[in-house]
Amino acid sequence: MPDLRRDPVVGRWVIISTDRSGRPHDFTQLLPSRPISTALCPFCPGQERLTPKEIMAYRPQPSEANAPNWSVRVVPNKFPALQVEGELGREGLGLYDRMNGIGAHEVIIETPGHKDGLGDLPAQKIEDVLWAYRDRILDLKKDPRFRYILIFKNHGASAGATLEHSHSQLIALPIIPTSVSGEIEGCRAHYQQKERCIYCDIIRQDLTDGDRIVAENPEFVCVTPFAPRFPFEMWVLPKQHAGYFEEGQKGQFEFLASMLSEVLRRMDKVLARPPYNFVLHSSPPHEHTGDFYHWHLEIIPKLTQVAGFEWGTGFYINPVSPEESAKFLRDTRL
Amino acid sequence: MPDLRRDPVVGRWVIISTDRSGRPHDFTQLLPSRPISTALCPFCPGQERLTPKEIMAYRPQPSEANAPNWSVRVVPNKFPALQVEGELGREGLGLYDRMNGIGAHEVIIETPGHKDGLGDLPAQKIEDVLWAYRDRILDLKKDPRFRYILIFKNHGASAGATLEHSHSQLIALPIIPTSVSGEIEGCRAHYQQKERCIYCDIIRQDLTDGDRIVAENPEFVCVTPFAPRFPFEMWVLPKQHAGYFEEGQKGQFEFLASMLSEVLRRMDKVLARPPYNFVLHSSPPHEHTGDFYHWHLEIIPKLTQVAGFEWGTGFYINPVSPEESAKFLRDTRL
């Protein structure tokens, strides 16, 4: 059983998942990892037996589960960081706090095509991936043990992907990760002072300033944030205030898919198909934060190796201004 | 002039330092960076002309500045992230806050030997490096513009080092980085409740538990933290409460040097000389946090590539328990 442990100073929870571990010399060899790209890719059609049994799949025609003819397929992670069965078992150990590593860890296989990146897919196929995110969130929200549902994507070996075939991941957690709780507190403080959502204010400011806009459509805007941690960092936000990604409607997901398609293609063009991460930031399911928290998607190309000490300090040096990044991304011809 | 910008939601300041920048295609090639290891290493004795003029140096015999025969040498960073001359120029830009990127960015060249790692040096030479940290902090503390003085080390290309020759860096900042301010708030809350320093409590708990202790001497203890973000993460703490690194006395620095020597050699042995970062966490010079904040050094071997999405979430999955890490480190024969 994995362990969830809380840092007593800063309150950050970490998963200690030793089932995925080995001896120390295993770690010394981890660093130059490469995605597995074999004829036996477990995410390719026809190899469904290589994954745990599917949780759901979209199939254009009704067809058998765990067999080909799907367009999006969701399976449990074969090496889960958390375990779905069991009690939380919260306890104190002297000064410290721990609980069992209860949670869900799923993989969203975005396309049957082994070589397609998410940005290579037609917008309609990207929309299917977004519906899969939504369906899984709505299902997992019913479980009161889960305080947060994290959707993220590691693309490329240096962004942490261990398999080449395009996929996203979902982790349902009994705690709220610090990135989200920090944002929620910031939003709450702004709302208490001004009765406005700060992300709505950011959208207004950025549309007025204009020089950090990467792309815009009737429902969504993509900006490079004013104080980005990383070169070419991008945020995609719904223009109308919305706290919960999973409450998006058909028309919105269409526009989100076309926005995502556009900005991923712009990024691929300007940065020569970089490794990247994206993380969906949405309201925690059981908190009443929808009035002041505004869901969004953060996209971070993994470009620089300068991030050595940033991990230890939370302090970032970014060699590209967001205005310059946005201009490159906006001006490139698709 | 670099720009310091504040994220309006979470309050994190970042440096936008475009003088170090280039065109986008420069970034696509940054990732597989390797340390420059040439006959023209700017940190080797005899090549002093390749660095900016030295700020200070320890010389066993009195000798000319910017010439060989030094044991530790401190120079301005040739490509500084911040600029030392100028006004802070704090201003609001609509919703946003910025100021000029004022600060100091220095390099501490730890040894004349090109091939020596810090852990390879005799403890007495490590002590010299610690005295250099102290001297630079005491000097820069006099400048009221600087709210924090950050000392860190990137060792190895994948930990962010761009030069192979062993060195640390110092950045003096007009803001307090989030890692430190988050810790200070955690310490303050604990102190308000219990009138005890939380790091003192951690030391007592860990010495009682025993299984997270890596090494101990009369003045210092090295532990693997209860909730570590990374495999083999280590913290070195003074056993007696102390808020400010730079107030350490001769006897203490001797014990710190021997502790650092021991734990770096243990790490090098168990993990086959890994790339690593360390970051000194000490009280901000002009805040009265010394009663409840306890300075310490965080050492993070750079082992795993799994840290893709961790950047975006503040949420960490660690495949090794700290008890297991500590046992490997403690039990290895030096």
Side-chain angles (χ1 to χ4, degrees), chain A residues 149-320:
Chain A
I149 299 162
L150 187 63
I151 300 242
F152 64 97
K153 178 173 170 66
N154 298 341
H155 175 84
S158 46
T162 50
L163 288 167
E164 192 178 67
H165 194 127
S166 197
H167 65 283
S168 329
Q169 296 185 64
L170 176 153
I171 295 186
L173 291 164
I175 53 101
I176 299 176
T178 53
S179 66
V180 176
S181 56
E183 286 175 1
I184 287 173
E185 290 319 307
C187 289
R188 195 195 305 272
H190 188 87
Y191 191 84
Q192 279 169 349
Q193 201 183 0
K194 302 183 193 248
E195 295 194 34
R196 294 195 310 264
C197 160
I198 191 165
Y199 286 100
C200 289
D201 279 0
I202 288 174
I203 292 167
R204 270 186 292 269
Q205 178 84 44
D206 287 1
L207 286 172
T208 305
D209 292 351
D211 53 355
R212 283 178 304 277
I213 304 291
V214 175
E216 189 187 354
N217 70 25
E219 294 281 343
F220 287 87
V221 62
C222 174
V223 303
T224 53
F226 176 78
R229 292 155 292 178
F230 305 103
F232 296 90
E233 178 175 347
M234 293 182 277
W235 295 356
V236 173
L237 307 110
K239 285 155 91 173
Q240 289 296 320
H241 181 78
Y244 298 88
F245 166 83
E246 67 273 18
E247 293 180 355
Q249 302 296 315
K250 172 75 184 151
Q252 283 175 304
F253 279 178
E254 264 180 47
F255 281 116
L256 177 58
S258 67
M259 174 60 71
L260 204 50
S261 165
E262 177 178 344
V263 302
L264 291 176
R265 282 181 294 130
R266 290 190 179 280
M267 178 185 80
D268 280 347
K269 186 88 181 289
V270 172
L271 300 170
R273 302 179 73 84
Y276 67 92
N277 301 107
F278 72 57
V279 180
L280 180 62
H281 291 226
S282 185
S283 283
H286 311 298
E287 312 272 321
H288 299 289
T289 58
D291 282 350
F292 54 85
Y293 189 71
H294 192 123
W295 79 261
H296 59 282
L297 187 73
E298 300 193 358
I299 305 173
I300 300 171
K302 181 83 165 44
L303 298 171
T304 49
Q305 193 56 281
V306 293
F309 80 100
E310 277 92 341
W311 285 7
T313 61
F315 178 67
Y316 295 85
I317 302 174
N318 184 341
V320 193

Side-chain angles (χ1 to χ4, degrees), chain B residues 257-272:
Chain B
S258 67
M259 174 58 72
L260 204 49
S261 164
E262 176 178 346
V263 301
L264 291 176
R265 282 182 293 130
R266 289 190 180 280
M267 177 185 79
D268 280 347
K269 186 87 181 290
V270 172
L271 300 171

Side-chain angles (χ1 to χ4, degrees), chain B residues 120-257:
Chain B
D120 301 322
L121 300 181
Q124 200 197 328
K125 296 287 178 191
I126 297 178
E127 194 186 330
D128 283 349
V129 175
L130 301 174
W131 286 107
Y133 293 169
R134 170 184 169 274
D135 288 355
R136 292 309 305 140
I137 293 173
L138 289 177
D139 186 38
L140 287 162
K141 264 179 108 151
K142 295 177 203 152
D143 191 323
R145 297 172 306 169
F146 299 148
R147 304 270 301 280
Y148 199 73
I149 298 161
L150 187 63
I151 301 244
F152 64 98
K153 179 174 171 65
N154 299 341
H155 175 84
S158 47
T162 50
L163 288 167
E164 192 178 67
H165 195 127
S166 197
H167 65 283
S168 329
Q169 296 184 64
L170 176 154
I171 295 186
L173 291 164
I175 52 101
I176 299 175
T178 52
S179 67
V180 177
S181 55
E183 286 174 1
I184 288 174
E185 289 320 306
C187 291
R188 194 195 304 273
H190 189 87
Y191 192 83
Q192 279 170 349
Q193 200 183 1
K194 303 183 191 247
E195 295 194 34
R196 295 195 309 263
C197 160
I198 189 165
Y199 287 100
C200 289
D201 279 0
I202 288 173
I203 292 168
R204 271 187 292 267
Q205 178 84 43
D206 287 0
L207 286 172
T208 306
D209 292 350
D211 53 356
R212 283 178 303 277
I213 303 292
V214 175
E216 188 186 355
N217 71 26
E219 293 281 342
F220 287 87
V221 62
C222 175
V223 303
T224 54
F226 175 78
R229 293 155 292 177
F230 304 103
F232 296 90
E233 178 175 346
M234 293 181 278
W235 295 355
V236 173
L237 306 112
K239 285 156 91 172
Q240 289 297 318
H241 181 78
Y244 298 88
F245 166 83
E246 67 273 18
E247 293 179 356
Q249 301 296 314
K250 173 74 184 150
Q252 282 175 304
F253 281 177
E254 264 180 48
F255 281 115
L256 177 58

Side-chain angles (χ1 to χ4, degrees), chain A residues 5 15 17 21 27-28 31 95-96 158-159 173 178-179 205-206 226 230 271 308 311 313-314 316 318-320 323, chain B residues 5 15 17 21 27-28 31 95-96 158-159 178-179 205-206 226 230 271 308 311 313-316 318-320 323:
Chain A
R5 296 186 178 197
I15 301 179
S17 182
S21 165
F27 294 99
T28 64
L31 204 57
L95 181 64
Y96 299 120
S158 46
L173 291 164
T178 53
S179 66
Q205 178 84 44
D206 287 1
F226 176 78
F230 305 103
L271 300 170
W311 285 7
T313 61
Y316 295 85
N318 184 341
V320 193
E323 292 78 16
Chain B
R5 296 186 179 197
I15 301 178
S17 182
S21 164
F27 295 100
T28 64
L31 203 59
L95 180 65
Y96 299 121
S158 47
T178 52
S179 67
Q205 178 84 43
D206 287 0
F226 175 78
F230 304 103
L271 300 171
W311 284 8
T313 61
F315 177 69
Y316 296 85
N318 184 342
V320 193
E323 292 78 15

